[in-house]
Amino acid sequence: MILSPLWLPATLLAALCQTWRTAMQQKLRGRLSVNAAGLVRFLYGAPTALVLLLGYWLVAGGTLPALTWRFLGFALLAGLCQILATNLLIMAFGYRNFAVGTAYSKTEAAQSALIALVALGENLHPLSWVGIGVGLCGVLVLSLAGRELTPRGLLAATVQPAALCGLGAGFLFGLTAVFIKLANQSLIGPDPILHAVYALFITNSMQTVIQGAYVAWREPAQLRAALTSWRSSSLVGVLSALGSAGWWTGFALAPVALVRSVGQVEMVFTLLFSRFYLNERPSRIEVAGALTIVAGVLLVVAGR
């Protein structure tokens, strides 16, 4: 059940911020390792999440929910899945360009819908399921850019390293969304938005400790690089926290599948960033795929 219309602008803001953050991470990839490039989103995102939490708390009031082992367990699982998904997404960029690498991960909308159906019992209007299918077709068009649209071409595109990394990232992002939803639901209180921002800060803090400890142990030079590149890395963290706040608010107010499906509009933002920020030229097929995704998003919203 949708609790508030705020889920839609929150999701659109999340998609925009995530696209911008991922584009900046792609540029950092030339200076930082996969793990270090993933770390900066949490290292600099946790302080931003704290500012968002305190700001919202001061404006809206209310009582911060108590920490429970159930909440911490789900938050930890969400954090670990997000770390692994982010690393796989960055790895996908190394095999194909930014737009196509992101396209593979966008199968997360369909994967999230199935995971949420099984794990949370969330079902959607038939028109929304049609929209998810249309959006998935758009993702396939993007991922098959430059290949023939045949079963053989689809198989060839699916088994390449970029596809496997992107599909794995999509699956883990789907699990992340479900665990975030469960973490939010385990908190007691009347304000789901306060719960979402609170859970974001706690999870980002745990992610900073986990991935920071790993990078310090395995790649100490990269940890120093993540700290010394703070001028660009900190913006990645800020955008990450803003985007995550949007996602987590959406998950608190609407079904996971609905939020993730509308979030596919990120592919339109991705093509714009790919063209004007990273100077990559999307092909006509990629533009057609993006428009197909938009059509799917409109169907999802119409069926809500």
Side-chain angles (χ1 to χ4, degrees):
M1 176 183 294
I2 298 173
L3 302 177
S4 167
L6 182 61
W7 75 272
L8 185 55
T11 300
L12 295 176
L13 174 64
L16 176 60
C17 289
Q18 180 166 302
T19 306
W20 192 355
R21 181 264 300 169
T22 306
M24 294 200 66
Q25 269 186 313
Q26 167 71 337
K27 282 200 167 184
L28 283 176
R29 184 65 184 90
R31 289 177 284 165
L32 301 176
S33 68
V34 169
N35 283 298
L39 171 62
V40 296
R41 69 171 295 189
F42 310 124
L43 177 65
Y44 297 102
T48 305
L50 178 59
V51 172
L52 291 175
L53 173 60
L54 294 177
Y56 183 83
W57 186 38
L58 290 173
V59 172
T63 302
L64 292 178
L67 293 175
T68 64
W69 287 113
R70 178 180 174 84
F71 164 76
L72 290 174
F74 284 132
L76 178 61
L77 289 172
L80 289 173
C81 287
Q82 192 175 45
I83 287 173
L84 295 174
T86 300
N87 283 8
L88 283 174
L89 181 59
I90 295 172
M91 288 171 63
F93 296 157
Y95 296 109
R96 293 285 296 275
N97 67 26
F98 170 65
V100 176
T102 302
Y104 285 118
S105 71
K106 288 299 102 184
T107 59
E108 72 174 281
Q111 296 190 68
S112 294
L114 295 176
I115 295 172
L117 177 62
V118 173
L120 302 175
E122 292 185 351
N123 205 348
L124 301 177
H125 188 279
L127 187 59
S128 293
W129 283 107
V130 172
I132 290 174
V134 171
L136 183 59
C137 290
V139 169
L140 291 176
V141 170
L142 278 169
S143 64
L144 286 171
R147 295 178 181 270
E148 53 182 339
L149 293 174
T150 63
R152 183 177 180 180
L154 177 61
L155 178 62
T158 303
V159 299
Q160 63 174 299
L164 296 177
C165 288
L167 290 171
F171 176 72
L172 288 170
F173 279 132
L175 285 178
T176 299
V178 169
F179 287 133
I180 289 170
K181 184 89 171 185
L182 291 170
N184 284 339
Q185 290 177 345
S186 68
L187 295 173
I188 299 174
D191 190 342
I193 299 178
L194 179 61
H195 290 179
V197 184
Y198 179 74
L200 171 63
F201 168 65
I202 297 298
T203 304
N204 270 188
S205 298
M206 289 194 292
Q207 289 170 313
T208 301
V209 172
I210 293 170
Q211 195 160 20
Y214 179 83
V215 174
W217 174 46
R218 301 289 296 180
E219 307 173 61
Q222 286 296 309
L223 178 60
R224 290 192 292 272
L227 294 172
T228 56
S229 65
W230 64 269
R231 287 182 178 82
S232 52
S233 296
S234 59
L235 184 54
V236 169
V238 170
L239 290 170
S240 175
L242 291 174
S244 294
W247 290 125
W248 291 42
T249 298
F251 296 145
L253 301 177
V256 167
L258 192 59
V259 174
R260 281 305 194 196
S261 298
V262 171
Q264 284 185 313
V265 73
E266 178 187 346
M267 283 310 305
V268 177
F269 299 143
T270 295
L271 289 177
L272 293 175
F273 273 89
S274 177
R275 174 65 183 89
F276 297 106
Y277 184 71
L278 297 176
N279 295 319
E280 297 175 350
R281 291 185 176 274
S283 66
R284 292 182 179 178
I285 293 179
E286 289 174 345
V287 173
L291 292 176
T292 304
I293 289 174
V294 171
V297 169
L298 292 175
L299 287 172
V300 169
V301 174
R304 76 186 189 279

